[in-house]
PDB file of all heavy atoms in Angstrom:
ATOM      1  N   ALA A   1      -2.549 -15.656 -11.682  1.00 87.00           N
ATOM      2  CA  ALA A   1      -1.683 -15.119 -12.767  1.00 87.00           C
ATOM      3  C   ALA A   1      -2.439 -14.182 -13.713  1.00 87.00           C
ATOM      4  O   ALA A   1      -1.844 -13.314 -14.305  1.00 87.00           O
ATOM      5  CB  ALA A   1      -1.018 -16.263 -13.514  1.00 87.00           C
ATOM      6  N   ARG A   2      -3.713 -14.414 -13.901  1.00 89.00           N
ATOM      7  CA  ARG A   2      -4.468 -13.602 -14.869  1.00 89.00           C
ATOM      8  C   ARG A   2      -5.433 -12.623 -14.216  1.00 89.00           C
ATOM      9  O   ARG A   2      -6.191 -11.993 -14.947  1.00 89.00           O
ATOM     10  CB  ARG A   2      -5.205 -14.561 -15.820  1.00 89.00           C
ATOM     11  CG  ARG A   2      -4.311 -15.454 -16.678  1.00 89.00           C
ATOM     12  CD  ARG A   2      -5.088 -16.232 -17.670  1.00 89.00           C
ATOM     13  NE  ARG A   2      -4.188 -17.054 -18.465  1.00 89.00           N
ATOM     14  CZ  ARG A   2      -3.533 -16.683 -19.562  1.00 89.00           C
ATOM     15  NH1 ARG A   2      -3.681 -15.427 -19.955  1.00 89.00           N
ATOM     16  NH2 ARG A   2      -2.767 -17.482 -20.219  1.00 89.00           N
ATOM     17  N   ARG A   3      -5.405 -12.568 -12.924  1.00 95.00           N
ATOM     18  CA  ARG A   3      -6.350 -11.652 -12.239  1.00 95.00           C
ATOM     19  C   ARG A   3      -5.780 -10.230 -12.277  1.00 95.00           C
ATOM     20  O   ARG A   3      -4.580 -10.006 -12.235  1.00 95.00           O
ATOM     21  CB  ARG A   3      -6.571 -12.091 -10.780  1.00 95.00           C
ATOM     22  CG  ARG A   3      -7.224 -13.443 -10.699  1.00 95.00           C
ATOM     23  CD  ARG A   3      -7.367 -13.899  -9.254  1.00 95.00           C
ATOM     24  NE  ARG A   3      -7.890 -15.269  -9.188  1.00 95.00           N
ATOM     25  CZ  ARG A   3      -7.978 -15.976  -8.046  1.00 95.00           C
ATOM     26  NH1 ARG A   3      -7.591 -15.392  -6.902  1.00 95.00           N
ATOM     27  NH2 ARG A   3      -8.460 -17.205  -8.071  1.00 95.00           N
ATOM     28  N   PRO A   4      -6.688  -9.256 -12.358  1.00 96.00           N
ATOM     29  CA  PRO A   4      -6.189  -7.837 -12.336  1.00 96.00           C
ATOM     30  C   PRO A   4      -5.491  -7.515 -10.992  1.00 96.00           C
ATOM     31  O   PRO A   4      -5.893  -8.011  -9.974  1.00 96.00           O
ATOM     32  CB  PRO A   4      -7.452  -7.020 -12.501  1.00 96.00           C
ATOM     33  CG  PRO A   4      -8.600  -7.917 -12.078  1.00 96.00           C
ATOM     34  CD  PRO A   4      -8.138  -9.345 -12.448  1.00 96.00           C
ATOM     35  N   LEU A   5      -4.473  -6.664 -11.098  1.00 96.00           N
ATOM     36  CA  LEU A   5      -3.749  -6.344  -9.854  1.00 96.00           C
ATOM     37  C   LEU A   5      -3.413  -4.869  -9.838  1.00 96.00           C
ATOM     38  O   LEU A   5      -3.399  -4.187 -10.883  1.00 96.00           O
ATOM     39  CB  LEU A   5      -2.486  -7.175  -9.707  1.00 96.00           C
ATOM     40  CG  LEU A   5      -1.318  -7.039 -10.680  1.00 96.00           C
ATOM     41  CD1 LEU A   5      -0.488  -5.804 -10.397  1.00 96.00           C
ATOM     42  CD2 LEU A   5      -0.393  -8.253 -10.594  1.00 96.00           C
ATOM     43  N   THR A   6      -3.072  -4.404  -8.671  1.00 98.00           N
ATOM     44  CA  THR A   6      -2.590  -3.039  -8.482  1.00 98.00           C
ATOM     45  C   THR A   6      -1.814  -2.964  -7.201  1.00 98.00           C
ATOM     46  O   THR A   6      -1.992  -3.832  -6.285  1.00 98.00           O
ATOM     47  CB  THR A   6      -3.747  -2.004  -8.474  1.00 98.00           C
ATOM     48  OG1 THR A   6      -3.218  -0.688  -8.482  1.00 98.00           O
ATOM     49  CG2 THR A   6      -4.625  -2.209  -7.252  1.00 98.00           C
ATOM     50  N   TRP A   7      -0.917  -1.993  -7.101  1.00 98.00           N
ATOM     51  CA  TRP A   7      -0.289  -1.735  -5.780  1.00 98.00           C
ATOM     52  C   TRP A   7      -0.092  -0.229  -5.629  1.00 98.00           C
ATOM     53  O   TRP A   7      -0.017   0.488  -6.582  1.00 98.00           O
ATOM     54  CB  TRP A   7       1.075  -2.438  -5.711  1.00 98.00           C
ATOM     55  CG  TRP A   7       2.181  -1.895  -6.515  1.00 98.00           C
ATOM     56  CD1 TRP A   7       3.118  -0.947  -6.132  1.00 98.00           C
ATOM     57  CD2 TRP A   7       2.567  -2.270  -7.866  1.00 98.00           C
ATOM     58  NE1 TRP A   7       4.000  -0.729  -7.156  1.00 98.00           N
ATOM     59  CE2 TRP A   7       3.721  -1.506  -8.208  1.00 98.00           C
ATOM     60  CE3 TRP A   7       2.033  -3.166  -8.787  1.00 98.00           C
ATOM     61  CZ2 TRP A   7       4.315  -1.624  -9.462  1.00 98.00           C
ATOM     62  CZ3 TRP A   7       2.622  -3.288 -10.050  1.00 98.00           C
ATOM     63  CH2 TRP A   7       3.742  -2.502 -10.319  1.00 98.00           C
ATOM     64  N   ARG A   8      -0.078   0.204  -4.370  1.00 97.00           N
ATOM     65  CA  ARG A   8       0.042   1.598  -4.054  1.00 97.00           C
ATOM     66  C   ARG A   8       0.949   1.798  -2.808  1.00 97.00           C
ATOM     67  O   ARG A   8       0.906   0.974  -1.904  1.00 97.00           O
ATOM     68  CB  ARG A   8      -1.326   2.182  -3.732  1.00 97.00           C
ATOM     69  CG  ARG A   8      -2.276   2.298  -4.942  1.00 97.00           C
ATOM     70  CD  ARG A   8      -1.788   3.349  -5.903  1.00 97.00           C
ATOM     71  NE  ARG A   8      -2.746   3.483  -7.080  1.00 97.00           N
ATOM     72  CZ  ARG A   8      -2.726   2.746  -8.140  1.00 97.00           C
ATOM     73  NH1 ARG A   8      -1.789   1.797  -8.281  1.00 97.00           N
ATOM     74  NH2 ARG A   8      -3.563   2.960  -9.109  1.00 97.00           N
ATOM     75  N   GLN A   9       1.669   2.870  -2.823  1.00 97.00           N
ATOM     76  CA  GLN A   9       2.425   3.291  -1.632  1.00 97.00           C
ATOM     77  C   GLN A   9       1.431   4.102  -0.760  1.00 97.00           C
ATOM     78  O   GLN A   9       0.766   5.006  -1.290  1.00 97.00           O
ATOM     79  CB  GLN A   9       3.660   4.075  -1.932  1.00 97.00           C
ATOM     80  CG  GLN A   9       4.475   4.434  -0.707  1.00 97.00           C
ATOM     81  CD  GLN A   9       5.917   4.572  -0.955  1.00 97.00           C
ATOM     82  OE1 GLN A   9       6.400   4.230  -2.001  1.00 97.00           O
ATOM     83  NE2 GLN A   9       6.647   5.075   0.014  1.00 97.00           N
ATOM     84  N   LEU A  10       1.371   3.851   0.503  1.00 98.00           N
ATOM     85  CA  LEU A  10       0.386   4.478   1.402  1.00 98.00           C
ATOM     86  C   LEU A  10       0.992   5.561   2.249  1.00 98.00           C
ATOM     87  O   LEU A  10       2.226   5.589   2.480  1.00 98.00           O
ATOM     88  CB  LEU A  10      -0.226   3.390   2.299  1.00 98.00           C
ATOM     89  CG  LEU A  10      -0.861   2.225   1.592  1.00 98.00           C
ATOM     90  CD1 LEU A  10      -1.251   1.143   2.604  1.00 98.00           C
ATOM     91  CD2 LEU A  10      -2.069   2.642   0.791  1.00 98.00           C
ATOM     92  N   THR A  11       0.166   6.425   2.749  1.00 97.00           N
ATOM     93  CA  THR A  11       0.614   7.430   3.694  1.00 97.00           C
ATOM     94  C   THR A  11       0.660   6.859   5.099  1.00 97.00           C
ATOM     95  O   THR A  11      -0.273   6.197   5.522  1.00 97.00           O
ATOM     96  CB  THR A  11      -0.335   8.666   3.664  1.00 97.00           C
ATOM     97  OG1 THR A  11      -0.361   9.233   2.365  1.00 97.00           O
ATOM     98  CG2 THR A  11       0.050   9.676   4.698  1.00 97.00           C
ATOM     99  N   VAL A  12       1.771   7.075   5.800  1.00 98.00           N
ATOM    100  CA  VAL A  12       1.918   6.665   7.187  1.00 98.00           C
ATOM    101  C   VAL A  12       1.849   7.908   8.051  1.00 98.00           C
ATOM    102  O   VAL A  12       2.611   8.840   7.809  1.00 98.00           O
ATOM    103  CB  VAL A  12       3.212   5.874   7.410  1.00 98.00           C
ATOM    104  CG1 VAL A  12       3.331   5.427   8.867  1.00 98.00           C
ATOM    105  CG2 VAL A  12       3.301   4.660   6.486  1.00 98.00           C
ATOM    106  N   ALA A  13       1.041   7.886   9.063  1.00 97.00           N
ATOM    107  CA  ALA A  13       0.884   9.054   9.932  1.00 97.00           C
ATOM    108  C   ALA A  13       1.333   8.780  11.361  1.00 97.00           C
ATOM    109  O   ALA A  13       1.239   7.641  11.843  1.00 97.00           O
ATOM    110  CB  ALA A  13      -0.565   9.501   9.928  1.00 97.00           C
ATOM    111  N   ASP A  14       1.900   9.799  11.975  1.00 96.00           N
ATOM    112  CA  ASP A  14       2.363   9.735  13.393  1.00 96.00           C
ATOM    113  C   ASP A  14       1.954  11.043  14.058  1.00 96.00           C
ATOM    114  O   ASP A  14       2.408  12.097  13.649  1.00 96.00           O
ATOM    115  CB  ASP A  14       3.882   9.570  13.426  1.00 96.00           C
ATOM    116  CG  ASP A  14       4.433   9.353  14.806  1.00 96.00           C
ATOM    117  OD1 ASP A  14       3.733   9.673  15.789  1.00 96.00           O
ATOM    118  OD2 ASP A  14       5.562   8.784  14.929  1.00 96.00           O
ATOM    119  N   SER A  15       1.130  10.893  15.059  1.00 91.00           N
ATOM    120  CA  SER A  15       0.627  12.088  15.791  1.00 91.00           C
ATOM    121  C   SER A  15       0.047  13.130  14.816  1.00 91.00           C
ATOM    122  O   SER A  15       0.372  14.305  14.840  1.00 91.00           O
ATOM    123  CB  SER A  15       1.745  12.726  16.602  1.00 91.00           C
ATOM    124  OG  SER A  15       2.267  11.831  17.562  1.00 91.00           O
ATOM    125  N   ARG A  16      -0.800  12.616  13.884  1.00 90.00           N
ATOM    126  CA  ARG A  16      -1.515  13.432  12.903  1.00 90.00           C
ATOM    127  C   ARG A  16      -0.601  14.158  11.876  1.00 90.00           C
ATOM    128  O   ARG A  16      -1.009  15.094  11.190  1.00 90.00           O
ATOM    129  CB  ARG A  16      -2.413  14.460  13.602  1.00 90.00           C
ATOM    130  CG  ARG A  16      -3.530  13.811  14.382  1.00 90.00           C
ATOM    131  CD  ARG A  16      -4.362  14.850  15.138  1.00 90.00           C
ATOM    132  NE  ARG A  16      -3.602  15.528  16.203  1.00 90.00           N
ATOM    133  CZ  ARG A  16      -4.088  16.464  16.984  1.00 90.00           C
ATOM    134  NH1 ARG A  16      -5.316  16.849  16.867  1.00 90.00           N
ATOM    135  NH2 ARG A  16      -3.320  17.033  17.894  1.00 90.00           N
ATOM    136  N   SER A  17       0.616  13.668  11.777  1.00 95.00           N
ATOM    137  CA  SER A  17       1.562  14.259  10.796  1.00 95.00           C
ATOM    138  C   SER A  17       1.980  13.128   9.835  1.00 95.00           C
ATOM    139  O   SER A  17       2.290  12.024  10.318  1.00 95.00           O
ATOM    140  CB  SER A  17       2.795  14.861  11.452  1.00 95.00           C
ATOM    141  OG  SER A  17       2.433  15.950  12.264  1.00 95.00           O
ATOM    142  N   ASN A  18       2.025  13.401   8.552  1.00 97.00           N
ATOM    143  CA  ASN A  18       2.452  12.421   7.567  1.00 97.00           C
ATOM    144  C   ASN A  18       3.965  12.290   7.610  1.00 97.00           C
ATOM    145  O   ASN A  18       4.701  13.305   7.710  1.00 97.00           O
ATOM    146  CB  ASN A  18       2.058  12.857   6.170  1.00 97.00           C
ATOM    147  CG  ASN A  18       0.538  12.832   6.014  1.00 97.00           C
ATOM    148  OD1 ASN A  18      -0.201  12.202   6.751  1.00 97.00           O
ATOM    149  ND2 ASN A  18       0.053  13.479   5.028  1.00 97.00           N
ATOM    150  N   LEU A  19       4.446  11.062   7.566  1.00 97.00           N
ATOM    151  CA  LEU A  19       5.894  10.785   7.705  1.00 97.00           C
ATOM    152  C   LEU A  19       6.523  10.716   6.295  1.00 97.00           C
ATOM    153  O   LEU A  19       5.878  10.420   5.283  1.00 97.00           O
ATOM    154  CB  LEU A  19       6.102   9.454   8.406  1.00 97.00           C
ATOM    155  CG  LEU A  19       5.560   9.376   9.828  1.00 97.00           C
ATOM    156  CD1 LEU A  19       5.886   7.946  10.398  1.00 97.00           C
ATOM    157  CD2 LEU A  19       6.209  10.428  10.712  1.00 97.00           C
ATOM    158  N   GLY A  20       7.805  10.955   6.275  1.00 96.00           N
ATOM    159  CA  GLY A  20       8.621  10.852   5.065  1.00 96.00           C
ATOM    160  C   GLY A  20       8.987   9.379   4.849  1.00 96.00           C
ATOM    161  O   GLY A  20       8.915   8.539   5.723  1.00 96.00           O
ATOM    162  N   ARG A  21       9.400   9.121   3.596  1.00 95.00           N
ATOM    163  CA  ARG A  21       9.696   7.742   3.248  1.00 95.00           C
ATOM    164  C   ARG A  21      10.935   7.218   3.955  1.00 95.00           C
ATOM    165  O   ARG A  21      11.214   5.981   3.964  1.00 95.00           O
ATOM    166  CB  ARG A  21       9.863   7.597   1.727  1.00 95.00           C
ATOM    167  CG  ARG A  21       8.574   7.869   0.945  1.00 95.00           C
ATOM    168  CD  ARG A  21       8.759   7.668  -0.546  1.00 95.00           C
ATOM    169  NE  ARG A  21       7.542   7.930  -1.288  1.00 95.00           N
ATOM    170  CZ  ARG A  21       7.437   7.807  -2.590  1.00 95.00           C
ATOM    171  NH1 ARG A  21       8.455   7.365  -3.290  1.00 95.00           N
ATOM    172  NH2 ARG A  21       6.275   8.053  -3.190  1.00 95.00           N
ATOM    173  N   HIS A  22      11.734   8.129   4.480  1.00 95.00           N
ATOM    174  CA  HIS A  22      12.923   7.694   5.209  1.00 95.00           C
ATOM    175  C   HIS A  22      12.586   7.331   6.672  1.00 95.00           C
ATOM    176  O   HIS A  22      13.474   6.901   7.451  1.00 95.00           O
ATOM    177  CB  HIS A  22      14.033   8.766   5.215  1.00 95.00           C
ATOM    178  CG  HIS A  22      13.615  10.016   5.906  1.00 95.00           C
ATOM    179  ND1 HIS A  22      12.701  10.926   5.420  1.00 95.00           N
ATOM    180  CD2 HIS A  22      14.048  10.529   7.100  1.00 95.00           C
ATOM    181  CE1 HIS A  22      12.545  11.897   6.260  1.00 95.00           C
ATOM    182  NE2 HIS A  22      13.365  11.709   7.274  1.00 95.00           N
ATOM    183  N   GLU A  23      11.318   7.554   7.089  1.00 95.00           N
ATOM    184  CA  GLU A  23      10.899   7.242   8.461  1.00 95.00           C
ATOM    185  C   GLU A  23      10.045   5.933   8.525  1.00 95.00           C
ATOM    186  O   GLU A  23      10.284   5.102   9.375  1.00 95.00           O
ATOM    187  CB  GLU A  23      10.069   8.422   9.009  1.00 95.00           C
ATOM    188  CG  GLU A  23      10.904   9.676   9.112  1.00 95.00           C
ATOM    189  CD  GLU A  23      10.066  10.879   9.458  1.00 95.00           C
ATOM    190  OE1 GLU A  23       9.126  11.220   8.680  1.00 95.00           O
ATOM    191  OE2 GLU A  23      10.313  11.481  10.539  1.00 95.00           O
ATOM    192  N   ALA A  24       9.111   5.781   7.632  1.00 97.00           N
ATOM    193  CA  ALA A  24       8.255   4.601   7.600  1.00 97.00           C
ATOM    194  C   ALA A  24       7.548   4.593   6.249  1.00 97.00           C
ATOM    195  O   ALA A  24       7.246   5.636   5.637  1.00 97.00           O
ATOM    196  CB  ALA A  24       7.248   4.609   8.739  1.00 97.00           C
ATOM    197  N   VAL A  25       7.243   3.329   5.790  1.00 98.00           N
ATOM    198  CA  VAL A  25       6.543   3.163   4.528  1.00 98.00           C
ATOM    199  C   VAL A  25       5.431   2.150   4.686  1.00 98.00           C
ATOM    200  O   VAL A  25       5.524   1.231   5.530  1.00 98.00           O
ATOM    201  CB  VAL A  25       7.490   2.723   3.409  1.00 98.00           C
ATOM    202  CG1 VAL A  25       8.496   3.806   3.057  1.00 98.00           C
ATOM    203  CG2 VAL A  25       8.194   1.447   3.766  1.00 98.00           C
ATOM    204  N   GLY A  26       4.392   2.263   3.892  1.00 98.00           N
ATOM    205  CA  GLY A  26       3.326   1.295   3.855  1.00 98.00           C
ATOM    206  C   GLY A  26       2.924   1.058   2.416  1.00 98.00           C
ATOM    207  O   GLY A  26       3.021   1.973   1.537  1.00 98.00           O
ATOM    208  N   PHE A  27       2.450  -0.158   2.097  1.00 98.00           N
ATOM    209  CA  PHE A  27       2.095  -0.517   0.738  1.00 98.00           C
ATOM    210  C   PHE A  27       0.830  -1.371   0.802  1.00 98.00           C
ATOM    211  O   PHE A  27       0.593  -2.143   1.701  1.00 98.00           O
ATOM    212  CB  PHE A  27       3.153  -1.311   0.066  1.00 98.00           C
ATOM    213  CG  PHE A  27       4.535  -0.673   0.116  1.00 98.00           C
ATOM    214  CD1 PHE A  27       5.478  -1.058   1.064  1.00 98.00           C
ATOM    215  CD2 PHE A  27       4.866   0.284  -0.820  1.00 98.00           C
ATOM    216  CE1 PHE A  27       6.722  -0.456   1.135  1.00 98.00           C
ATOM    217  CE2 PHE A  27       6.130   0.881  -0.797  1.00 98.00           C
ATOM    218  CZ  PHE A  27       7.011   0.509   0.177  1.00 98.00           C
ATOM    219  N   ARG A  28      -0.036  -1.171  -0.214  1.00 98.00           N
ATOM    220  CA  ARG A  28      -1.193  -2.062  -0.426  1.00 98.00           C
ATOM    221  C   ARG A  28      -1.046  -2.798  -1.745  1.00 98.00           C
ATOM    222  O   ARG A  28      -0.746  -2.189  -2.744  1.00 98.00           O
ATOM    223  CB  ARG A  28      -2.476  -1.229  -0.447  1.00 98.00           C
ATOM    224  CG  ARG A  28      -3.733  -2.057  -0.724  1.00 98.00           C
ATOM    225  CD  ARG A  28      -4.972  -1.211  -0.667  1.00 98.00           C
ATOM    226  NE  ARG A  28      -5.023  -0.254  -1.791  1.00 98.00           N
ATOM    227  CZ  ARG A  28      -5.566  -0.524  -2.983  1.00 98.00           C
ATOM    228  NH1 ARG A  28      -6.058  -1.744  -3.245  1.00 98.00           N
ATOM    229  NH2 ARG A  28      -5.575   0.358  -3.918  1.00 98.00           N
ATOM    230  N   VAL A  29      -1.224  -4.105  -1.677  1.00 98.00           N
ATOM    231  CA  VAL A  29      -1.190  -4.941  -2.893  1.00 98.00           C
ATOM    232  C   VAL A  29      -2.571  -5.627  -3.050  1.00 98.00           C
ATOM    233  O   VAL A  29      -3.080  -6.177  -2.141  1.00 98.00           O
ATOM    234  CB  VAL A  29      -0.106  -6.082  -2.764  1.00 98.00           C
ATOM    235  CG1 VAL A  29      -0.103  -6.937  -4.000  1.00 98.00           C
ATOM    236  CG2 VAL A  29       1.269  -5.422  -2.590  1.00 98.00           C
ATOM    237  N   GLN A  30      -3.155  -5.500  -4.238  1.00 98.00           N
ATOM    238  CA  GLN A  30      -4.402  -6.152  -4.547  1.00 98.00           C
ATOM    239  C   GLN A  30      -4.312  -6.973  -5.810  1.00 98.00           C
ATOM    240  O   GLN A  30      -3.844  -6.480  -6.865  1.00 98.00           O
ATOM    241  CB  GLN A  30      -5.533  -5.103  -4.741  1.00 98.00           C
ATOM    242  CG  GLN A  30      -6.890  -5.690  -4.991  1.00 98.00           C
ATOM    243  CD  GLN A  30      -7.998  -4.698  -5.018  1.00 98.00           C
ATOM    244  OE1 GLN A  30      -7.793  -3.519  -4.822  1.00 98.00           O
ATOM    245  NE2 GLN A  30      -9.188  -5.171  -5.247  1.00 98.00           N
ATOM    246  N   VAL A  31      -4.738  -8.240  -5.720  1.00 97.00           N
ATOM    247  CA  VAL A  31      -4.833  -9.128  -6.850  1.00 97.00           C
ATOM    248  C   VAL A  31      -6.224  -9.754  -6.829  1.00 97.00           C
ATOM    249  O   VAL A  31      -6.556 -10.484  -5.917  1.00 97.00           O
ATOM    250  CB  VAL A  31      -3.782 -10.239  -6.785  1.00 97.00           C
ATOM    251  CG1 VAL A  31      -3.843 -11.112  -8.084  1.00 97.00           C
ATOM    252  CG2 VAL A  31      -2.362  -9.706  -6.597  1.00 97.00           C
ATOM    253  N   GLY A  32      -7.034  -9.371  -7.848  1.00 96.00           N
ATOM    254  CA  GLY A  32      -8.420  -9.807  -7.810  1.00 96.00           C
ATOM    255  C   GLY A  32      -9.107  -9.230  -6.603  1.00 96.00           C
ATOM    256  O   GLY A  32      -9.046  -8.043  -6.336  1.00 96.00           O
ATOM    257  N   GLN A  33      -9.745 -10.062  -5.806  1.00 95.00           N
ATOM    258  CA  GLN A  33     -10.425  -9.610  -4.586  1.00 95.00           C
ATOM    259  C   GLN A  33      -9.502  -9.745  -3.322  1.00 95.00           C
ATOM    260  O   GLN A  33      -9.946  -9.377  -2.238  1.00 95.00           O
ATOM    261  CB  GLN A  33     -11.679 -10.467  -4.342  1.00 95.00           C
ATOM    262  CG  GLN A  33     -12.726 -10.286  -5.472  1.00 95.00           C
ATOM    263  CD  GLN A  33     -13.160  -8.832  -5.631  1.00 95.00           C
ATOM    264  OE1 GLN A  33     -13.500  -8.163  -4.665  1.00 95.00           O
ATOM    265  NE2 GLN A  33     -13.152  -8.352  -6.881  1.00 95.00           N
ATOM    266  N   GLU A  34      -8.322 -10.222  -3.506  1.00 97.00           N
ATOM    267  CA  GLU A  34      -7.419 -10.420  -2.340  1.00 97.00           C
ATOM    268  C   GLU A  34      -6.551  -9.180  -2.205  1.00 97.00           C
ATOM    269  O   GLU A  34      -6.043  -8.615  -3.141  1.00 97.00           O
ATOM    270  CB  GLU A  34      -6.539 -11.647  -2.555  1.00 97.00           C
ATOM    271  CG  GLU A  34      -7.308 -12.941  -2.639  1.00 97.00           C
ATOM    272  CD  GLU A  34      -6.382 -14.077  -2.853  1.00 97.00           C
ATOM    273  OE1 GLU A  34      -5.822 -14.619  -1.894  1.00 97.00           O
ATOM    274  OE2 GLU A  34      -6.169 -14.474  -4.021  1.00 97.00           O
ATOM    275  N   GLN A  35      -6.414  -8.736  -0.912  1.00 98.00           N
ATOM    276  CA  GLN A  35      -5.602  -7.539  -0.643  1.00 98.00           C
ATOM    277  C   GLN A  35      -4.658  -7.804   0.574  1.00 98.00           C
ATOM    278  O   GLN A  35      -5.052  -8.523   1.508  1.00 98.00           O
ATOM    279  CB  GLN A  35      -6.464  -6.378  -0.329  1.00 98.00           C
ATOM    280  CG  GLN A  35      -7.302  -5.869  -1.456  1.00 98.00           C
ATOM    281  CD  GLN A  35      -7.963  -4.559  -1.193  1.00 98.00           C
ATOM    282  OE1 GLN A  35      -7.315  -3.500  -1.114  1.00 98.00           O
ATOM    283  NE2 GLN A  35      -9.288  -4.544  -1.057  1.00 98.00           N
ATOM    284  N   TRP A  36      -3.481  -7.174   0.499  1.00 98.00           N
ATOM    285  CA  TRP A  36      -2.487  -7.343   1.548  1.00 98.00           C
ATOM    286  C   TRP A  36      -2.007  -5.904   1.937  1.00 98.00           C
ATOM    287  O   TRP A  36      -1.930  -4.996   1.126  1.00 98.00           O
ATOM    288  CB  TRP A  36      -1.299  -8.138   1.132  1.00 98.00           C
ATOM    289  CG  TRP A  36      -1.610  -9.609   0.932  1.00 98.00           C
ATOM    290  CD1 TRP A  36      -1.561 -10.632   1.800  1.00 98.00           C
ATOM    291  CD2 TRP A  36      -2.051 -10.192  -0.324  1.00 98.00           C
ATOM    292  NE1 TRP A  36      -1.893 -11.805   1.162  1.00 98.00           N
ATOM    293  CE2 TRP A  36      -2.216 -11.536  -0.084  1.00 98.00           C
ATOM    294  CE3 TRP A  36      -2.328  -9.676  -1.607  1.00 98.00           C
ATOM    295  CZ2 TRP A  36      -2.615 -12.435  -1.131  1.00 98.00           C
ATOM    296  CZ3 TRP A  36      -2.743 -10.484  -2.594  1.00 98.00           C
ATOM    297  CH2 TRP A  36      -2.881 -11.866  -2.371  1.00 98.00           C
ATOM    298  N   LEU A  37      -1.601  -5.776   3.200  1.00 98.00           N
ATOM    299  CA  LEU A  37      -0.989  -4.567   3.705  1.00 98.00           C
ATOM    300  C   LEU A  37       0.436  -4.909   4.175  1.00 98.00           C
ATOM    301  O   LEU A  37       0.654  -5.867   4.876  1.00 98.00           O
ATOM    302  CB  LEU A  37      -1.724  -3.991   4.899  1.00 98.00           C
ATOM    303  CG  LEU A  37      -1.081  -2.840   5.635  1.00 98.00           C
ATOM    304  CD1 LEU A  37      -1.002  -1.598   4.781  1.00 98.00           C
ATOM    305  CD2 LEU A  37      -1.822  -2.535   6.974  1.00 98.00           C
TER     306      LEU A  37
END
């Protein structure tokens, strides 16, 4: 509850091209030293 946190929307690539948010999305969540994808 008191650990620093952040989250970010990530770039998703397909055949070396970045996809739009209507095609696929990725997110990273970090709380303290723990991270999720």
Side-chain angles (χ1 to χ4, degrees):
R2 297 185 180 275
R3 296 177 187 173
L5 67 77
T6 187
W7 74 91
R8 292 290 184 272
Q9 183 152 351
L10 305 172
T11 298
V12 181
D14 185 339
S15 301
R16 294 178 294 181
S17 296
N18 294 342
L19 298 179
R21 295 183 181 182
H22 65 288
E23 297 172 299
V25 294
F27 308 96
R28 177 178 67 89
V29 178
Q30 180 174 0
V31 184
Q33 298 301 311
E34 298 179 83
Q35 295 191 68
W36 294 267
L37 171 67

